[in-house]
Amino acid sequence: MSDTTNSSGGESRRGFFGSFSAWLAALVGAVLGVGPVCVGLYSFIMDPLREKTRPRKSRAEGSADANGFYRVASSDEISTDKPRRFTIVADKLDAWNFIENQALGAVYLQKNENGDISCFHTTCPHAGCSVAYEQDSNAYHCPCHNSSFKLDGSKLDVGGSTNPSPRPLDKLDVKVDDDNNVYIRYVDYYTGKHDKIEK
Amino acid sequence: MFGKLYKWIDSRTGIQESLEEALYENIPGGSKWRYVSGSMLVFAFMTQAITGIFLWMNYSPGSQNAWASVYYITYNLEGGSLLRGIHHVMAQAMVCLLPIHILQVVIEKAYVKPREFNWWLGLVLMKITLALGLTGYLLPWDQKGYWATKVATELAALPPVIGGYLQKIVVGGQEYGHFTLTRFFALHAGVLPGLLVGFLVLHLAMFRKHGITSHSSEKRADQMFWPMQVLKDGIACALLFALVVYVAIIHPAELGPPAEPTEPYGAARPEWYFLFLFQMLKYFDGSMGWNNEFVGAIVFPAVLFGFMFLMPFIARIKIGHALNVLIIALTVGGAGYLTYEAVQEDNYNLNNPDDIDSAAYKKAAKFHAEVKRADTEFRLIDELVKDYGIPLEGPLALQQKDPYTMGLRLFRRQCASCHAYNATGENEYLAIAGPEIPATAEGPMGAPDLYGFGSPDWIKGLLSTGENGIEGAKYFGNTSHSEGEMIAHVRDTMWAEAESDEAKQNLVKMIEDVAWALSAEARLPYLDYAGNQDKIQAGIGHLNDDVLGCVGCHNYKENEFGYVFTLDNYASSEWLTTMIADPNQIYSEDLGTSNDRMPAFHSDATKLLTEDEIELLVRFLRQDRTLLGTASPEVNPLVDDASEQENTEEAAESTEENSEEDSDSEASESTDESSDEADEATDESSEEDSQESDAATR
């Protein structure tokens, strides 16, 4: 052990951890240092992982039905010649706020010749940017890393450039009721993975 | 293995030398328990910094968000109550440790030559700690913190010339608002802790330079700081932390109702460790000319602080040290006494229950009533948040739509000078005492207790005699009705004629039925009408047959011979709306005992209440907590509606007229209604209900 400091101390240096008291002091010190941090870290880590409950009297029409479907449009609003963008509107729980009629996300809807409706998530499966339909090429393009998709959602190769998306555009379930209301089962998927995995 | 690793780390970092430098400080006379207070303060601050940063991760300054986010931390955040509790309790522990540390330094003469600078650094640290307490108290933005801090910042305006500017700078403008919170938060979480760390480093550096103050008379051998003093410090800090966690669990940090600039809080008090300053200001009342608020709040503390600053120099003269000890002891003792006195004043009513008529008792009782009122308001907003969540506009927007919160406030302000609201059972927390009713009829009025107005129980009482009945304070009190025909009829006819026990039992049964039948007119949302159909139908029969003599004076359904107000729709929302807006539209002008003195609250002549306010009051009185702007639940008191058909038709027609006048969306509904009315009697009456409440909303 080095003996650089003044050694007027009454007890001889027996090394840093040379006594039981030293070990005990280190232990108590460590516990004290960690204690308050643990209390804070518990909140920091556990709260985001917790299932949040909506207010007791929140209105039923402000959230998805039991199967996760949201009403987005009337089928009359959906065209056959090109996809149209629709916003999912519902009541949103954001930390302490509960806010009615908030945009949760967006989808592209299009009808085929038979009147069947297809629905695509606007989030690019590559890295989560928002894809947009472009009329010139009649395809979906992502503004970030050149991912492009045909109207059926499959990957499109554009003039020699690469298409980094690991999978086609994410298709969502569609339901139409007798009053022409179109419902979408709106879910988010993890991006960057080969398979569609719900968040 | 570990030894090698340690050696490698040490050779690259020099950790061993640093540790030894830090921990091998010689302590003359060896380690002592009484040296722990400084380390405890450092540990307390460290805990505050850590818990504070984690609170910061969930806190949002701003007048819509501050209360909401603290509500979230306290009641929703995983582990949030403990986190906030530790921060809250440790802050108080820190303020308790400060005078202990100071007294110790003074008594042990550790402030004198050559440690002057360390003493001054300590004084600065004390100021910073108190400033942290003051700024932190506002951040939850509840009524308590808001009004207490408001007083503190009002004091900032006291210094001449610069005062006004100073206050605006502190508050962030003319008024309390977003900037007050953003500024206080930046001070509390950034500037002040930063300063504290800076001054603490200097304080500790000075401490290391001069070493611990020991007294040569002690014979014990010297020791190093490590490990024995570290162990003692550690144990003391661990005990402190355990105590703080225990208190934080037993008494979690409170949150009051959200701050509301237009709703004064009569129980505004600073945090307890500032109570002595609060109490002291009461003595600086200007009675002697010089002793005004400016002197009390600013000059006096500044002189005291100046004295503390000069203490190292004063100690150089012969009796200087003794004088210093005396003054510091007097200051600490005086602060303690003032704190005690402030608490005693606020609890005077509890400690002197017999001294009811004294001003001190009344003041303390009012303080406690305000504390209770704040508790009630918090309970109400707590329920609202659980039911509806907090809108973007903040908690006040929710309160202002709530019939209970607003109903209580409006009732207190406009109704309670005559009426009581003696809520019982699970609603007891809503109770409002009415005026004191003197023994004689002369004096202030005691109008009916409106809790449960229109319910069968309330009506049963009205039709009974005695202190709990129509003769008592709960009903006509000291109004002119206490000598009117109604009371005469109930007492001298109804009950006087029922002489035998059997007749009395029969009367009680009939009153029960009639009470339910009348209550059915009120259509109160909290009653089980469906389960009491027998009583309601029997009561309607009694009323139509005039068994109790009601319809001799009152109109009821087809009985239109009466000359005082009709019992149709009695205590319904439209009836109550009319009664509050303009009572003379309900009372008959023909009878001497008509409206005693109830003013019109919303007539052509007076607008004491807005229509929304009346709507809130009406819902409150009907125990209908549907938020303003939302239709009240439909109540259909009659399951089998056959006997009601004719009556409903009339009602449907009248509502149709109303709808046309109001050109509202219900116009289409009532058109449907009139076309279907012949065969769908039940549906009609329920739609009619909804229209009534809609009409009231308008």
Side-chain angles (χ1 to χ4, degrees), chain B residues 63-85:
Chain B
S63 28
Q64 274 89 41
N65 272 343
W67 185 89
S69 60
V70 176
Y71 179 91
Y72 185 89
I73 290 169
T74 314
Y75 299 104
N76 298 126
L77 184 77
E78 197 72 33
S81 173
L82 180 64
L83 183 65
R84 183 168 168 241

PDB file of all heavy atoms in Angstrom, chain B residues 63-85:
ATOM      1  N   SER B  63     -49.396  25.756 -16.411  1.00  0.00           N
ATOM      2  CA  SER B  63     -50.573  25.784 -15.547  1.00  0.00           C
ATOM      3  C   SER B  63     -51.630  24.730 -15.883  1.00  0.00           C
ATOM      4  O   SER B  63     -52.455  24.424 -15.041  1.00  0.00           O
ATOM      5  CB  SER B  63     -51.185  27.188 -15.465  1.00  0.00           C
ATOM      6  OG  SER B  63     -50.934  27.936 -16.601  1.00  0.00           O
ATOM      7  N   GLN B  64     -51.615  24.154 -17.075  1.00  0.00           N
ATOM      8  CA  GLN B  64     -52.557  23.060 -17.335  1.00  0.00           C
ATOM      9  C   GLN B  64     -51.984  21.699 -16.940  1.00  0.00           C
ATOM     10  O   GLN B  64     -52.728  20.784 -16.647  1.00  0.00           O
ATOM     11  CB  GLN B  64     -52.937  22.996 -18.826  1.00  0.00           C
ATOM     12  CG  GLN B  64     -54.071  23.897 -19.212  1.00  0.00           C
ATOM     13  CD  GLN B  64     -53.544  25.257 -19.603  1.00  0.00           C
ATOM     14  OE1 GLN B  64     -52.542  25.368 -20.269  1.00  0.00           O
ATOM     15  NE2 GLN B  64     -54.213  26.295 -19.159  1.00  0.00           N
ATOM     16  N   ASN B  65     -50.664  21.601 -16.987  1.00  0.00           N
ATOM     17  CA  ASN B  65     -50.045  20.292 -16.840  1.00  0.00           C
ATOM     18  C   ASN B  65     -49.453  20.012 -15.467  1.00  0.00           C
ATOM     19  O   ASN B  65     -49.320  18.857 -15.096  1.00  0.00           O
ATOM     20  CB  ASN B  65     -48.920  20.128 -17.871  1.00  0.00           C
ATOM     21  CG  ASN B  65     -49.452  19.574 -19.174  1.00  0.00           C
ATOM     22  OD1 ASN B  65     -50.555  19.036 -19.212  1.00  0.00           O
ATOM     23  ND2 ASN B  65     -48.688  19.712 -20.224  1.00  0.00           N
ATOM     24  N   ALA B  66     -49.078  21.053 -14.736  1.00  0.00           N
ATOM     25  CA  ALA B  66     -48.306  20.824 -13.508  1.00  0.00           C
ATOM     26  C   ALA B  66     -49.086  19.954 -12.524  1.00  0.00           C
ATOM     27  O   ALA B  66     -48.612  18.905 -12.093  1.00  0.00           O
ATOM     28  CB  ALA B  66     -47.927  22.157 -12.870  1.00  0.00           C
ATOM     29  N   TRP B  67     -50.294  20.398 -12.204  1.00  0.00           N
ATOM     30  CA  TRP B  67     -51.094  19.617 -11.244  1.00  0.00           C
ATOM     31  C   TRP B  67     -51.363  18.231 -11.799  1.00  0.00           C
ATOM     32  O   TRP B  67     -51.264  17.227 -11.085  1.00  0.00           O
ATOM     33  CB  TRP B  67     -52.408  20.349 -10.939  1.00  0.00           C
ATOM     34  CG  TRP B  67     -53.216  19.685  -9.875  1.00  0.00           C
ATOM     35  CD1 TRP B  67     -53.138  19.899  -8.530  1.00  0.00           C
ATOM     36  CD2 TRP B  67     -54.228  18.671 -10.059  1.00  0.00           C
ATOM     37  NE1 TRP B  67     -54.030  19.099  -7.866  1.00  0.00           N
ATOM     38  CE2 TRP B  67     -54.702  18.334  -8.772  1.00  0.00           C
ATOM     39  CE3 TRP B  67     -54.754  18.023 -11.170  1.00  0.00           C
ATOM     40  CZ2 TRP B  67     -55.701  17.371  -8.583  1.00  0.00           C
ATOM     41  CZ3 TRP B  67     -55.748  17.062 -10.976  1.00  0.00           C
ATOM     42  CH2 TRP B  67     -56.213  16.743  -9.696  1.00  0.00           C
ATOM     43  N   ALA B  68     -51.707  18.180 -13.087  1.00  0.00           N
ATOM     44  CA  ALA B  68     -52.058  16.905 -13.714  1.00  0.00           C
ATOM     45  C   ALA B  68     -50.901  15.924 -13.646  1.00  0.00           C
ATOM     46  O   ALA B  68     -51.084  14.747 -13.335  1.00  0.00           O
ATOM     47  CB  ALA B  68     -52.486  17.144 -15.163  1.00  0.00           C
ATOM     48  N   SER B  69     -49.679  16.417 -13.900  1.00  0.00           N
ATOM     49  CA  SER B  69     -48.548  15.490 -13.892  1.00  0.00           C
ATOM     50  C   SER B  69     -48.207  15.066 -12.468  1.00  0.00           C
ATOM     51  O   SER B  69     -47.818  13.919 -12.242  1.00  0.00           O
ATOM     52  CB  SER B  69     -47.330  16.102 -14.600  1.00  0.00           C
ATOM     53  OG  SER B  69     -46.918  17.282 -13.971  1.00  0.00           O
ATOM     54  N   VAL B  70     -48.373  15.966 -11.502  1.00  0.00           N
ATOM     55  CA  VAL B  70     -48.111  15.569 -10.113  1.00  0.00           C
ATOM     56  C   VAL B  70     -49.190  14.594  -9.637  1.00  0.00           C
ATOM     57  O   VAL B  70     -48.913  13.655  -8.884  1.00  0.00           O
ATOM     58  CB  VAL B  70     -48.001  16.802  -9.188  1.00  0.00           C
ATOM     59  CG1 VAL B  70     -47.824  16.376  -7.737  1.00  0.00           C
ATOM     60  CG2 VAL B  70     -46.835  17.671  -9.610  1.00  0.00           C
ATOM     61  N   TYR B  71     -50.410  14.805 -10.109  1.00  0.00           N
ATOM     62  CA  TYR B  71     -51.476  13.830  -9.808  1.00  0.00           C
ATOM     63  C   TYR B  71     -51.064  12.459 -10.346  1.00  0.00           C
ATOM     64  O   TYR B  71     -51.198  11.440  -9.666  1.00  0.00           O
ATOM     65  CB  TYR B  71     -52.801  14.270 -10.437  1.00  0.00           C
ATOM     66  CG  TYR B  71     -53.927  13.290 -10.179  1.00  0.00           C
ATOM     67  CD1 TYR B  71     -54.759  13.434  -9.069  1.00  0.00           C
ATOM     68  CD2 TYR B  71     -54.134  12.196 -11.013  1.00  0.00           C
ATOM     69  CE1 TYR B  71     -55.762  12.532  -8.805  1.00  0.00           C
ATOM     70  CE2 TYR B  71     -55.134  11.273 -10.756  1.00  0.00           C
ATOM     71  CZ  TYR B  71     -55.951  11.445  -9.653  1.00  0.00           C
ATOM     72  OH  TYR B  71     -56.937  10.538  -9.379  1.00  0.00           O
ATOM     73  N   TYR B  72     -50.557  12.459 -11.585  1.00  0.00           N
ATOM     74  CA  TYR B  72     -50.129  11.190 -12.187  1.00  0.00           C
ATOM     75  C   TYR B  72     -49.021  10.551 -11.357  1.00  0.00           C
ATOM     76  O   TYR B  72     -49.061   9.367 -11.053  1.00  0.00           O
ATOM     77  CB  TYR B  72     -49.654  11.428 -13.627  1.00  0.00           C
ATOM     78  CG  TYR B  72     -49.303  10.153 -14.340  1.00  0.00           C
ATOM     79  CD1 TYR B  72     -50.266   9.441 -15.039  1.00  0.00           C
ATOM     80  CD2 TYR B  72     -48.006   9.642 -14.289  1.00  0.00           C
ATOM     81  CE1 TYR B  72     -49.953   8.248 -15.671  1.00  0.00           C
ATOM     82  CE2 TYR B  72     -47.687   8.443 -14.920  1.00  0.00           C
ATOM     83  CZ  TYR B  72     -48.655   7.756 -15.615  1.00  0.00           C
ATOM     84  OH  TYR B  72     -48.355   6.578 -16.231  1.00  0.00           O
ATOM     85  N   ILE B  73     -48.032  11.365 -10.989  1.00  0.00           N
ATOM     86  CA  ILE B  73     -46.910  10.838 -10.193  1.00  0.00           C
ATOM     87  C   ILE B  73     -47.428  10.221  -8.898  1.00  0.00           C
ATOM     88  O   ILE B  73     -47.041   9.122  -8.509  1.00  0.00           O
ATOM     89  CB  ILE B  73     -45.900  11.966  -9.875  1.00  0.00           C
ATOM     90  CG1 ILE B  73     -45.170  12.396 -11.133  1.00  0.00           C
ATOM     91  CG2 ILE B  73     -44.916  11.516  -8.798  1.00  0.00           C
ATOM     92  CD1 ILE B  73     -44.347  13.664 -10.967  1.00  0.00           C
ATOM     93  N   THR B  74     -48.355  10.935  -8.246  1.00  0.00           N
ATOM     94  CA  THR B  74     -48.779  10.514  -6.916  1.00  0.00           C
ATOM     95  C   THR B  74     -49.706   9.307  -6.955  1.00  0.00           C
ATOM     96  O   THR B  74     -49.635   8.435  -6.090  1.00  0.00           O
ATOM     97  CB  THR B  74     -49.474  11.687  -6.210  1.00  0.00           C
ATOM     98  OG1 THR B  74     -48.702  12.864  -6.386  1.00  0.00           O
ATOM     99  CG2 THR B  74     -49.648  11.415  -4.723  1.00  0.00           C
ATOM    100  N   TYR B  75     -50.587   9.245  -7.948  1.00  0.00           N
ATOM    101  CA  TYR B  75     -51.629   8.212  -7.896  1.00  0.00           C
ATOM    102  C   TYR B  75     -51.558   7.182  -9.015  1.00  0.00           C
ATOM    103  O   TYR B  75     -52.241   6.162  -8.932  1.00  0.00           O
ATOM    104  CB  TYR B  75     -53.012   8.878  -7.887  1.00  0.00           C
ATOM    105  CG  TYR B  75     -53.179   9.761  -6.691  1.00  0.00           C
ATOM    106  CD1 TYR B  75     -53.094  11.145  -6.800  1.00  0.00           C
ATOM    107  CD2 TYR B  75     -53.355   9.205  -5.420  1.00  0.00           C
ATOM    108  CE1 TYR B  75     -53.205  11.950  -5.687  1.00  0.00           C
ATOM    109  CE2 TYR B  75     -53.466   9.997  -4.306  1.00  0.00           C
ATOM    110  CZ  TYR B  75     -53.387  11.372  -4.447  1.00  0.00           C
ATOM    111  OH  TYR B  75     -53.488  12.169  -3.342  1.00  0.00           O
ATOM    112  N   ASN B  76     -50.834   7.435 -10.084  1.00  0.00           N
ATOM    113  CA  ASN B  76     -50.779   6.472 -11.180  1.00  0.00           C
ATOM    114  C   ASN B  76     -49.396   5.884 -11.398  1.00  0.00           C
ATOM    115  O   ASN B  76     -49.275   4.699 -11.679  1.00  0.00           O
ATOM    116  CB  ASN B  76     -51.238   7.127 -12.500  1.00  0.00           C
ATOM    117  CG  ASN B  76     -52.677   7.606 -12.423  1.00  0.00           C
ATOM    118  OD1 ASN B  76     -52.963   8.747 -12.680  1.00  0.00           O
ATOM    119  ND2 ASN B  76     -53.583   6.727 -12.046  1.00  0.00           N
ATOM    120  N   LEU B  77     -48.395   6.715 -11.280  1.00  0.00           N
ATOM    121  CA  LEU B  77     -47.038   6.268 -11.607  1.00  0.00           C
ATOM    122  C   LEU B  77     -46.635   5.103 -10.712  1.00  0.00           C
ATOM    123  O   LEU B  77     -46.818   5.146  -9.498  1.00  0.00           O
ATOM    124  CB  LEU B  77     -46.056   7.433 -11.426  1.00  0.00           C
ATOM    125  CG  LEU B  77     -44.620   7.143 -11.810  1.00  0.00           C
ATOM    126  CD1 LEU B  77     -44.469   7.156 -13.314  1.00  0.00           C
ATOM    127  CD2 LEU B  77     -43.677   8.172 -11.189  1.00  0.00           C
ATOM    128  N   GLU B  78     -46.086   4.086 -11.346  1.00  0.00           N
ATOM    129  CA  GLU B  78     -45.586   2.924 -10.614  1.00  0.00           C
ATOM    130  C   GLU B  78     -44.501   3.393  -9.633  1.00  0.00           C
ATOM    131  O   GLU B  78     -43.495   3.953 -10.053  1.00  0.00           O
ATOM    132  CB  GLU B  78     -45.021   1.944 -11.650  1.00  0.00           C
ATOM    133  CG  GLU B  78     -44.826   0.548 -11.176  1.00  0.00           C
ATOM    134  CD  GLU B  78     -46.131  -0.192 -10.976  1.00  0.00           C
ATOM    135  OE1 GLU B  78     -47.092   0.066 -11.707  1.00  0.00           O
ATOM    136  OE2 GLU B  78     -46.168  -1.027 -10.054  1.00  0.00           O
ATOM    137  N   GLY B  79     -44.737   3.198  -8.347  1.00  0.00           N
ATOM    138  CA  GLY B  79     -43.757   3.630  -7.341  1.00  0.00           C
ATOM    139  C   GLY B  79     -43.690   5.138  -7.155  1.00  0.00           C
ATOM    140  O   GLY B  79     -42.817   5.641  -6.446  1.00  0.00           O
ATOM    141  N   GLY B  80     -44.612   5.871  -7.793  1.00  0.00           N
ATOM    142  CA  GLY B  80     -44.545   7.329  -7.787  1.00  0.00           C
ATOM    143  C   GLY B  80     -44.822   7.945  -6.430  1.00  0.00           C
ATOM    144  O   GLY B  80     -44.220   8.945  -6.053  1.00  0.00           O
ATOM    145  N   SER B  81     -45.742   7.336  -5.692  1.00  0.00           N
ATOM    146  CA  SER B  81     -46.084   7.881  -4.382  1.00  0.00           C
ATOM    147  C   SER B  81     -44.871   7.847  -3.455  1.00  0.00           C
ATOM    148  O   SER B  81     -44.586   8.806  -2.742  1.00  0.00           O
ATOM    149  CB  SER B  81     -47.240   7.075  -3.784  1.00  0.00           C
ATOM    150  OG  SER B  81     -47.475   7.477  -2.479  1.00  0.00           O
ATOM    151  N   LEU B  82     -44.130   6.743  -3.502  1.00  0.00           N
ATOM    152  CA  LEU B  82     -42.939   6.616  -2.666  1.00  0.00           C
ATOM    153  C   LEU B  82     -41.862   7.598  -3.124  1.00  0.00           C
ATOM    154  O   LEU B  82     -41.232   8.280  -2.311  1.00  0.00           O
ATOM    155  CB  LEU B  82     -42.409   5.175  -2.731  1.00  0.00           C
ATOM    156  CG  LEU B  82     -41.165   4.901  -1.890  1.00  0.00           C
ATOM    157  CD1 LEU B  82     -41.467   5.084  -0.413  1.00  0.00           C
ATOM    158  CD2 LEU B  82     -40.635   3.505  -2.152  1.00  0.00           C
ATOM    159  N   LEU B  83     -41.693   7.685  -4.432  1.00  0.00           N
ATOM    160  CA  LEU B  83     -40.678   8.575  -5.000  1.00  0.00           C
ATOM    161  C   LEU B  83     -40.934  10.014  -4.562  1.00  0.00           C
ATOM    162  O   LEU B  83     -40.047  10.699  -4.046  1.00  0.00           O
ATOM    163  CB  LEU B  83     -40.714   8.463  -6.530  1.00  0.00           C
ATOM    164  CG  LEU B  83     -39.690   9.257  -7.325  1.00  0.00           C
ATOM    165  CD1 LEU B  83     -38.295   8.747  -7.028  1.00  0.00           C
ATOM    166  CD2 LEU B  83     -39.978   9.150  -8.820  1.00  0.00           C
ATOM    167  N   ARG B  84     -42.176  10.464  -4.749  1.00  0.00           N
ATOM    168  CA  ARG B  84     -42.509  11.829  -4.375  1.00  0.00           C
ATOM    169  C   ARG B  84     -42.478  11.981  -2.856  1.00  0.00           C
ATOM    170  O   ARG B  84     -42.048  13.005  -2.320  1.00  0.00           O
ATOM    171  CB  ARG B  84     -43.901  12.193  -4.914  1.00  0.00           C
ATOM    172  CG  ARG B  84     -44.268  13.605  -4.623  1.00  0.00           C
ATOM    173  CD  ARG B  84     -45.481  14.118  -5.367  1.00  0.00           C
ATOM    174  NE  ARG B  84     -45.847  15.376  -4.735  1.00  0.00           N
ATOM    175  CZ  ARG B  84     -47.011  15.602  -4.149  1.00  0.00           C
ATOM    176  NH1 ARG B  84     -47.961  14.683  -4.178  1.00  0.00           N
ATOM    177  NH2 ARG B  84     -47.240  16.751  -3.563  1.00  0.00           N
ATOM    178  N   GLY B  85     -42.894  10.930  -2.156  1.00  0.00           N
ATOM    179  CA  GLY B  85     -42.891  10.956  -0.693  1.00  0.00           C
ATOM    180  C   GLY B  85     -41.489  11.147  -0.145  1.00  0.00           C
ATOM    181  O   GLY B  85     -41.260  11.956   0.752  1.00  0.00           O
TER     182      GLY B  85
END
